[in-house]
PDB file of all heavy atoms in Angstrom:
ATOM      1  N   ARG A1437      20.727  -7.794  35.584  1.00 91.00           N
ATOM      2  CA  ARG A1437      19.804  -8.209  36.636  1.00 91.00           C
ATOM      3  C   ARG A1437      19.105  -9.525  36.326  1.00 91.00           C
ATOM      4  O   ARG A1437      18.505 -10.134  37.199  1.00 91.00           O
ATOM      5  CB  ARG A1437      18.713  -7.151  36.850  1.00 91.00           C
ATOM      6  CG  ARG A1437      19.232  -5.959  37.542  1.00 91.00           C
ATOM      7  CD  ARG A1437      18.166  -5.002  37.986  1.00 91.00           C
ATOM      8  NE  ARG A1437      18.827  -3.951  38.722  1.00 91.00           N
ATOM      9  CZ  ARG A1437      19.129  -4.031  40.011  1.00 91.00           C
ATOM     10  NH1 ARG A1437      18.765  -5.070  40.731  1.00 91.00           N
ATOM     11  NH2 ARG A1437      19.804  -3.064  40.594  1.00 91.00           N
ATOM     12  N   GLY A1438      19.136  -9.924  35.046  1.00 82.00           N
ATOM     13  CA  GLY A1438      18.404 -11.135  34.681  1.00 82.00           C
ATOM     14  C   GLY A1438      16.912 -10.885  34.747  1.00 82.00           C
ATOM     15  O   GLY A1438      16.465  -9.749  34.644  1.00 82.00           O
ATOM     16  N   GLY A1439      16.141 -11.944  34.962  1.00 88.00           N
ATOM     17  CA  GLY A1439      14.688 -11.781  35.032  1.00 88.00           C
ATOM     18  C   GLY A1439      14.097 -11.525  33.661  1.00 88.00           C
ATOM     19  O   GLY A1439      14.542 -12.103  32.675  1.00 88.00           O
ATOM     20  N   ASP A1440      13.110 -10.621  33.590  1.00 95.00           N
ATOM     21  CA  ASP A1440      12.410 -10.415  32.314  1.00 95.00           C
ATOM     22  C   ASP A1440      13.211  -9.509  31.371  1.00 95.00           C
ATOM     23  O   ASP A1440      14.311  -9.052  31.704  1.00 95.00           O
ATOM     24  CB  ASP A1440      10.999  -9.858  32.576  1.00 95.00           C
ATOM     25  CG  ASP A1440      11.022  -8.451  33.172  1.00 95.00           C
ATOM     26  OD1 ASP A1440      12.114  -7.854  33.281  1.00 95.00           O
ATOM     27  OD2 ASP A1440       9.933  -7.960  33.532  1.00 95.00           O
ATOM     28  N   LEU A1441      12.640  -9.295  30.202  1.00 96.00           N
ATOM     29  CA  LEU A1441      13.302  -8.485  29.168  1.00 96.00           C
ATOM     30  C   LEU A1441      13.670  -7.096  29.673  1.00 96.00           C
ATOM     31  O   LEU A1441      14.642  -6.492  29.209  1.00 96.00           O
ATOM     32  CB  LEU A1441      12.341  -8.362  27.966  1.00 96.00           C
ATOM     33  CG  LEU A1441      12.785  -7.474  26.805  1.00 96.00           C
ATOM     34  CD1 LEU A1441      13.938  -8.125  26.050  1.00 96.00           C
ATOM     35  CD2 LEU A1441      11.612  -7.203  25.862  1.00 96.00           C
ATOM     36  N   LEU A1442      12.880  -6.574  30.621  1.00 98.00           N
ATOM     37  CA  LEU A1442      13.053  -5.194  31.077  1.00 98.00           C
ATOM     38  C   LEU A1442      13.883  -5.074  32.358  1.00 98.00           C
ATOM     39  O   LEU A1442      14.003  -3.995  32.916  1.00 98.00           O
ATOM     40  CB  LEU A1442      11.670  -4.546  31.287  1.00 98.00           C
ATOM     41  CG  LEU A1442      10.765  -4.505  30.045  1.00 98.00           C
ATOM     42  CD1 LEU A1442       9.390  -3.946  30.395  1.00 98.00           C
ATOM     43  CD2 LEU A1442      11.391  -3.676  28.926  1.00 98.00           C
ATOM     44  N   GLY A1443      14.459  -6.171  32.797  1.00 98.00           N
ATOM     45  CA  GLY A1443      15.236  -6.116  34.045  1.00 98.00           C
ATOM     46  C   GLY A1443      14.398  -5.606  35.198  1.00 98.00           C
ATOM     47  O   GLY A1443      14.858  -4.792  36.007  1.00 98.00           O
ATOM     48  N   SER A1444      13.166  -6.102  35.302  1.00 98.00           N
ATOM     49  CA  SER A1444      12.216  -5.548  36.277  1.00 98.00           C
ATOM     50  C   SER A1444      12.544  -5.967  37.705  1.00 98.00           C
ATOM     51  O   SER A1444      12.985  -7.083  37.952  1.00 98.00           O
ATOM     52  CB  SER A1444      10.794  -6.013  35.946  1.00 98.00           C
ATOM     53  OG  SER A1444      10.413  -5.518  34.690  1.00 98.00           O
ATOM     54  N   VAL A1445      12.310  -5.039  38.629  1.00 97.00           N
ATOM     55  CA  VAL A1445      12.425  -5.308  40.063  1.00 97.00           C
ATOM     56  C   VAL A1445      11.042  -5.099  40.669  1.00 97.00           C
ATOM     57  O   VAL A1445      10.407  -4.065  40.436  1.00 97.00           O
ATOM     58  CB  VAL A1445      13.432  -4.338  40.731  1.00 97.00           C
ATOM     59  CG1 VAL A1445      13.526  -4.614  42.237  1.00 97.00           C
ATOM     60  CG2 VAL A1445      14.804  -4.442  40.067  1.00 97.00           C
ATOM     61  N   ARG A1446      10.550  -6.099  41.423  1.00 97.00           N
ATOM     62  CA  ARG A1446       9.250  -5.962  42.101  1.00 97.00           C
ATOM     63  C   ARG A1446       9.445  -5.176  43.386  1.00 97.00           C
ATOM     64  O   ARG A1446      10.439  -5.370  44.080  1.00 97.00           O
ATOM     65  CB  ARG A1446       8.669  -7.344  42.429  1.00 97.00           C
ATOM     66  CG  ARG A1446       8.490  -8.237  41.210  1.00 97.00           C
ATOM     67  CD  ARG A1446       7.370  -7.758  40.290  1.00 97.00           C
ATOM     68  NE  ARG A1446       7.637  -8.200  38.914  1.00 97.00           N
ATOM     69  CZ  ARG A1446       6.921  -7.828  37.839  1.00 97.00           C
ATOM     70  NH1 ARG A1446       5.901  -6.996  37.977  1.00 97.00           N
ATOM     71  NH2 ARG A1446       7.227  -8.276  36.639  1.00 97.00           N
ATOM     72  N   ASP A1447       8.487  -4.315  43.698  1.00 98.00           N
ATOM     73  CA  ASP A1447       8.617  -3.397  44.855  1.00 98.00           C
ATOM     74  C   ASP A1447      10.005  -2.747  44.839  1.00 98.00           C
ATOM     75  O   ASP A1447      10.757  -2.816  45.801  1.00 98.00           O
ATOM     76  CB  ASP A1447       8.344  -4.129  46.186  1.00 98.00           C
ATOM     77  CG  ASP A1447       8.148  -3.135  47.334  1.00 98.00           C
ATOM     78  OD1 ASP A1447       8.080  -1.905  47.074  1.00 98.00           O
ATOM     79  OD2 ASP A1447       8.083  -3.577  48.494  1.00 98.00           O
ATOM     80  N   GLY A1448      10.306  -2.114  43.730  1.00 98.00           N
ATOM     81  CA  GLY A1448      11.638  -1.566  43.517  1.00 98.00           C
ATOM     82  C   GLY A1448      11.800  -0.156  44.040  1.00 98.00           C
ATOM     83  O   GLY A1448      10.832   0.546  44.348  1.00 98.00           O
ATOM     84  N   ALA A1449      13.057   0.242  44.136  1.00 98.00           N
ATOM     85  CA  ALA A1449      13.394   1.609  44.550  1.00 98.00           C
ATOM     86  C   ALA A1449      14.593   2.088  43.735  1.00 98.00           C
ATOM     87  O   ALA A1449      15.436   1.291  43.310  1.00 98.00           O
ATOM     88  CB  ALA A1449      13.725   1.650  46.043  1.00 98.00           C
ATOM     89  N   VAL A1450      14.629   3.401  43.507  1.00 98.00           N
ATOM     90  CA  VAL A1450      15.758   4.009  42.808  1.00 98.00           C
ATOM     91  C   VAL A1450      16.121   5.296  43.538  1.00 98.00           C
ATOM     92  O   VAL A1450      15.247   6.053  43.956  1.00 98.00           O
ATOM     93  CB  VAL A1450      15.430   4.246  41.309  1.00 98.00           C
ATOM     94  CG1 VAL A1450      14.171   5.092  41.124  1.00 98.00           C
ATOM     95  CG2 VAL A1450      16.606   4.894  40.586  1.00 98.00           C
ATOM     96  N   VAL A1451      17.422   5.513  43.731  1.00 98.00           N
ATOM     97  CA  VAL A1451      17.911   6.701  44.426  1.00 98.00           C
ATOM     98  C   VAL A1451      18.793   7.476  43.457  1.00 98.00           C
ATOM     99  O   VAL A1451      19.618   6.881  42.750  1.00 98.00           O
ATOM    100  CB  VAL A1451      18.737   6.310  45.680  1.00 98.00           C
ATOM    101  CG1 VAL A1451      19.218   7.564  46.415  1.00 98.00           C
ATOM    102  CG2 VAL A1451      17.930   5.406  46.605  1.00 98.00           C
ATOM    103  N   PHE A1452      18.598   8.789  43.409  1.00 97.00           N
ATOM    104  CA  PHE A1452      19.462   9.600  42.541  1.00 97.00           C
ATOM    105  C   PHE A1452      19.843  10.915  43.206  1.00 97.00           C
ATOM    106  O   PHE A1452      19.150  11.441  44.068  1.00 97.00           O
ATOM    107  CB  PHE A1452      18.841   9.829  41.167  1.00 97.00           C
ATOM    108  CG  PHE A1452      17.382  10.193  41.159  1.00 97.00           C
ATOM    109  CD1 PHE A1452      16.982  11.510  41.269  1.00 97.00           C
ATOM    110  CD2 PHE A1452      16.414   9.208  41.006  1.00 97.00           C
ATOM    111  CE1 PHE A1452      15.628  11.853  41.231  1.00 97.00           C
ATOM    112  CE2 PHE A1452      15.061   9.538  40.983  1.00 97.00           C
ATOM    113  CZ  PHE A1452      14.664  10.863  41.097  1.00 97.00           C
ATOM    114  N   GLU A1453      21.001  11.417  42.743  1.00 96.00           N
ATOM    115  CA  GLU A1453      21.575  12.642  43.302  1.00 96.00           C
ATOM    116  C   GLU A1453      22.436  13.296  42.220  1.00 96.00           C
ATOM    117  O   GLU A1453      23.102  12.598  41.462  1.00 96.00           O
ATOM    118  CB  GLU A1453      22.457  12.270  44.510  1.00 96.00           C
ATOM    119  CG  GLU A1453      23.059  13.455  45.234  1.00 96.00           C
ATOM    120  CD  GLU A1453      23.836  12.998  46.470  1.00 96.00           C
ATOM    121  OE1 GLU A1453      23.278  12.239  47.289  1.00 96.00           O
ATOM    122  OE2 GLU A1453      25.004  13.391  46.586  1.00 96.00           O
ATOM    123  N   ALA A1454      22.377  14.613  42.157  1.00 93.00           N
ATOM    124  CA  ALA A1454      23.178  15.363  41.176  1.00 93.00           C
ATOM    125  C   ALA A1454      22.964  14.832  39.754  1.00 93.00           C
ATOM    126  O   ALA A1454      23.893  14.768  38.950  1.00 93.00           O
ATOM    127  CB  ALA A1454      24.656  15.336  41.550  1.00 93.00           C
ATOM    128  N   GLY A1455      21.721  14.449  39.471  1.00 96.00           N
ATOM    129  CA  GLY A1455      21.376  14.075  38.106  1.00 96.00           C
ATOM    130  C   GLY A1455      21.740  12.664  37.699  1.00 96.00           C
ATOM    131  O   GLY A1455      21.514  12.283  36.544  1.00 96.00           O
ATOM    132  N   ARG A1456      22.307  11.880  38.644  1.00 97.00           N
ATOM    133  CA  ARG A1456      22.712  10.520  38.289  1.00 97.00           C
ATOM    134  C   ARG A1456      22.121   9.504  39.249  1.00 97.00           C
ATOM    135  O   ARG A1456      21.943   9.787  40.438  1.00 97.00           O
ATOM    136  CB  ARG A1456      24.247  10.399  38.340  1.00 97.00           C
ATOM    137  CG  ARG A1456      24.969  11.287  37.342  1.00 97.00           C
ATOM    138  CD  ARG A1456      24.950  10.708  35.953  1.00 97.00           C
ATOM    139  NE  ARG A1456      25.442  11.660  34.961  1.00 97.00           N
ATOM    140  CZ  ARG A1456      25.746  11.346  33.704  1.00 97.00           C
ATOM    141  NH1 ARG A1456      25.591  10.105  33.279  1.00 97.00           N
ATOM    142  NH2 ARG A1456      26.182  12.256  32.874  1.00 97.00           N
ATOM    143  N   VAL A1457      21.849   8.319  38.733  1.00 98.00           N
ATOM    144  CA  VAL A1457      21.339   7.231  39.576  1.00 98.00           C
ATOM    145  C   VAL A1457      22.453   6.771  40.509  1.00 98.00           C
ATOM    146  O   VAL A1457      23.593   6.551  40.076  1.00 98.00           O
ATOM    147  CB  VAL A1457      20.849   6.052  38.709  1.00 98.00           C
ATOM    148  CG1 VAL A1457      20.455   4.863  39.581  1.00 98.00           C
ATOM    149  CG2 VAL A1457      19.681   6.500  37.831  1.00 98.00           C
ATOM    150  N   GLN A1458      22.103   6.633  41.786  1.00 97.00           N
ATOM    151  CA  GLN A1458      23.102   6.214  42.783  1.00 97.00           C
ATOM    152  C   GLN A1458      22.877   4.809  43.294  1.00 97.00           C
ATOM    153  O   GLN A1458      23.803   4.154  43.765  1.00 97.00           O
ATOM    154  CB  GLN A1458      23.046   7.158  43.975  1.00 97.00           C
ATOM    155  CG  GLN A1458      23.654   8.503  43.693  1.00 97.00           C
ATOM    156  CD  GLN A1458      24.121   9.132  44.970  1.00 97.00           C
ATOM    157  OE1 GLN A1458      23.381   9.131  45.938  1.00 97.00           O
ATOM    158  NE2 GLN A1458      25.327   9.645  44.987  1.00 97.00           N
ATOM    159  N   TRP A1459      21.640   4.368  43.277  1.00 97.00           N
ATOM    160  CA  TRP A1459      21.325   3.055  43.837  1.00 97.00           C
ATOM    161  C   TRP A1459      20.026   2.561  43.209  1.00 97.00           C
ATOM    162  O   TRP A1459      19.106   3.342  42.962  1.00 97.00           O
ATOM    163  CB  TRP A1459      21.165   3.165  45.359  1.00 97.00           C
ATOM    164  CG  TRP A1459      21.008   1.843  46.056  1.00 97.00           C
ATOM    165  CD1 TRP A1459      22.004   1.045  46.540  1.00 97.00           C
ATOM    166  CD2 TRP A1459      19.769   1.165  46.336  1.00 97.00           C
ATOM    167  NE1 TRP A1459      21.474  -0.094  47.091  1.00 97.00           N
ATOM    168  CE2 TRP A1459      20.107  -0.051  46.984  1.00 97.00           C
ATOM    169  CE3 TRP A1459      18.425   1.453  46.083  1.00 97.00           C
ATOM    170  CZ2 TRP A1459      19.139  -0.980  47.394  1.00 97.00           C
ATOM    171  CZ3 TRP A1459      17.456   0.544  46.484  1.00 97.00           C
ATOM    172  CH2 TRP A1459      17.814  -0.669  47.142  1.00 97.00           C
ATOM    173  N   VAL A1460      19.960   1.249  42.935  1.00 98.00           N
ATOM    174  CA  VAL A1460      18.750   0.617  42.389  1.00 98.00           C
ATOM    175  C   VAL A1460      18.586  -0.722  43.082  1.00 98.00           C
ATOM    176  O   VAL A1460      19.569  -1.460  43.248  1.00 98.00           O
ATOM    177  CB  VAL A1460      18.883   0.371  40.863  1.00 98.00           C
ATOM    178  CG1 VAL A1460      17.625  -0.292  40.307  1.00 98.00           C
ATOM    179  CG2 VAL A1460      19.168   1.662  40.112  1.00 98.00           C
ATOM    180  N   GLY A1461      17.375  -1.056  43.506  1.00 97.00           N
ATOM    181  CA  GLY A1461      17.165  -2.370  44.116  1.00 97.00           C
ATOM    182  C   GLY A1461      15.755  -2.516  44.642  1.00 97.00           C
ATOM    183  O   GLY A1461      14.838  -1.802  44.219  1.00 97.00           O
ATOM    184  N   GLU A1462      15.587  -3.476  45.574  1.00 97.00           N
ATOM    185  CA  GLU A1462      14.284  -3.676  46.202  1.00 97.00           C
ATOM    186  C   GLU A1462      14.107  -2.656  47.322  1.00 97.00           C
ATOM    187  O   GLU A1462      15.062  -2.350  48.040  1.00 97.00           O
ATOM    188  CB  GLU A1462      14.187  -5.096  46.756  1.00 97.00           C
ATOM    189  CG  GLU A1462      14.177  -6.162  45.672  1.00 97.00           C
ATOM    190  CD  GLU A1462      14.257  -7.565  46.250  1.00 97.00           C
ATOM    191  OE1 GLU A1462      13.900  -7.755  47.432  1.00 97.00           O
ATOM    192  OE2 GLU A1462      14.688  -8.469  45.510  1.00 97.00           O
ATOM    193  N   SER A1463      12.870  -2.197  47.481  1.00 98.00           N
ATOM    194  CA  SER A1463      12.606  -1.186  48.518  1.00 98.00           C
ATOM    195  C   SER A1463      13.067  -1.665  49.890  1.00 98.00           C
ATOM    196  O   SER A1463      13.592  -0.880  50.692  1.00 98.00           O
ATOM    197  CB  SER A1463      11.114  -0.846  48.566  1.00 98.00           C
ATOM    198  OG  SER A1463      10.710  -0.299  47.335  1.00 98.00           O
ATOM    199  N   ALA A1464      12.899  -2.968  50.139  1.00 97.00           N
ATOM    200  CA  ALA A1464      13.264  -3.520  51.451  1.00 97.00           C
ATOM    201  C   ALA A1464      14.771  -3.410  51.710  1.00 97.00           C
ATOM    202  O   ALA A1464      15.206  -3.448  52.862  1.00 97.00           O
ATOM    203  CB  ALA A1464      12.819  -4.977  51.541  1.00 97.00           C
ATOM    204  N   GLN A1465      15.556  -3.299  50.647  1.00 97.00           N
ATOM    205  CA  GLN A1465      17.019  -3.233  50.792  1.00 97.00           C
ATOM    206  C   GLN A1465      17.551  -1.802  50.767  1.00 97.00           C
ATOM    207  O   GLN A1465      18.773  -1.589  50.753  1.00 97.00           O
ATOM    208  CB  GLN A1465      17.702  -4.008  49.646  1.00 97.00           C
ATOM    209  CG  GLN A1465      17.178  -5.411  49.409  1.00 97.00           C
ATOM    210  CD  GLN A1465      17.443  -6.318  50.597  1.00 97.00           C
ATOM    211  OE1 GLN A1465      18.490  -6.235  51.220  1.00 97.00           O
ATOM    212  NE2 GLN A1465      16.474  -7.167  50.940  1.00 97.00           N
ATOM    213  N   LEU A1466      16.650  -0.826  50.699  1.00 96.00           N
ATOM    214  CA  LEU A1466      17.072   0.576  50.580  1.00 96.00           C
ATOM    215  C   LEU A1466      18.063   0.927  51.694  1.00 96.00           C
ATOM    216  O   LEU A1466      17.795   0.683  52.865  1.00 96.00           O
ATOM    217  CB  LEU A1466      15.843   1.487  50.688  1.00 96.00           C
ATOM    218  CG  LEU A1466      16.045   2.968  50.345  1.00 96.00           C
ATOM    219  CD1 LEU A1466      16.237   3.151  48.849  1.00 96.00           C
ATOM    220  CD2 LEU A1466      14.843   3.783  50.836  1.00 96.00           C
TER     221      LEU A1466
END
Side-chain angles (χ1 to χ4, degrees):
R1437 286 190 176 275
D1440 66 6
L1441 176 71
L1442 301 176
S1444 297
V1445 179
R1446 302 290 153 187
D1447 194 8
V1450 56
V1451 181
F1452 44 87
E1453 183 176 309
R1456 297 281 170 168
V1457 174
Q1458 286 205 313
W1459 187 89
V1460 180
E1462 293 173 22
S1463 298
Q1465 310 296 322
L1466 190 72

